[in-house]
Amino acid sequence: MMIDDLIHAVIDREGGYSNHPADRGGATRWGITEAVARANGYAGEMRHFAREAAAAIYRRIYWQRPRLDDVAERAPLIAAELFDTGVNMGPAVATGFLQRALNALNRGARDYPDVLLDGRIGPQTLAALDRFLVIRGAAGETVLLKAIEALQGERYLSLAERRPANEAFLYGWLANRLG
């Protein structure tokens, strides 16, 4: 199953316990922040947060809740990118990138109506994605992926510019999260 592979890749990339002083997320394990772990019922020390618990959170909060399974049926590369971006920036940000890219690529709403930029995947976003893929054919998913990654890269640069402490993470974000 696609999501199992994506979850294992994210957990492997995020690694074990971390508590970097420049990271506003604070203590993390397997890429899950303490706040997210607590919001999902974990009360223990983050150094002992189980990999299986992280995988369950990734599946529920970062795949199922934002409806990336619906995106994966249409465009698996887009779903994989939105999952990874959502893990790093939040699902609403990732979904917003998809919506912005779809709007910018609809040729002035001639191909399909603009999508409301609400950070949620619903019928309107899925219909726009379907129409985009039909109109643009096989290359469409690749081009849409490039647009999403461009938005993601710009956000990373902006985060580092606005908060110099984020420069500690910029190289890794660009090296490990794009492309």
Side-chain angles (χ1 to χ4, degrees):
M1 182 180 193
M2 174 186 194
I3 186 54
D4 292 329
D5 293 337
L6 293 173
I7 288 170
H8 291 301
V10 164
I11 289 174
D12 289 345
R13 184 171 45 257
E14 292 290 342
Y17 179 78
S18 173
N19 195 1
H20 193 288
D23 187 349
R24 288 183 171 166
T28 67
R29 182 157 165 98
W30 312 120
I32 300 293
T33 65
E34 186 171 8
V36 170
R38 301 277 182 255
N40 285 275
Y42 183 70
E45 166 64 41
M46 283 306 291
R47 291 181 192 277
H48 305 295
F49 185 62
R51 183 181 176 113
E52 297 76 26
I57 288 171
Y58 282 129
R59 179 181 308 281
R60 188 176 61 258
I61 295 176
Y62 298 94
W63 184 258
Q64 293 171 336
R65 187 179 295 166
R67 297 184 63 187
L68 296 183
D69 46 345
D70 290 331
V71 174
E73 291 174 8
R74 298 156 165 82
L77 296 176
I78 299 300
E81 179 62 32
L82 295 177
F83 173 74
D84 188 65
T85 302
V87 165
N88 194 247
M89 298 182 172
V93 172
T95 300
F97 290 164
L98 170 64
Q99 292 171 330
R100 286 180 62 198
L102 285 168
N103 287 350
L105 290 166
N106 71 359
R107 294 187 276 198
R110 287 194 319 268
D111 291 342
Y112 47 86
D114 278 343
V115 175
L116 177 66
L117 301 177
D118 62 2
R120 294 182 299 197
I121 295 171
Q124 186 185 37
T125 300
L126 292 173
L129 177 59
D130 288 341
R131 189 74 182 128
F132 174 82
L133 294 170
V134 165
I135 290 168
R136 294 299 187 168
E141 186 174 9
T142 301
V143 171
L144 185 57
L145 181 62
K146 288 179 181 184
I148 291 166
E149 288 180 340
L151 291 166
Q152 182 181 11
E154 191 284 325
R155 181 167 171 112
Y156 286 134
L157 290 170
S158 292
L159 288 170
E161 289 170 342
R162 286 194 314 256
R163 183 175 178 257
N166 284 333
E167 289 181 12
F169 310 112
L170 181 60
Y171 185 90
W173 288 336
L174 296 173
N176 298 315
R177 297 289 182 177
L178 298 179

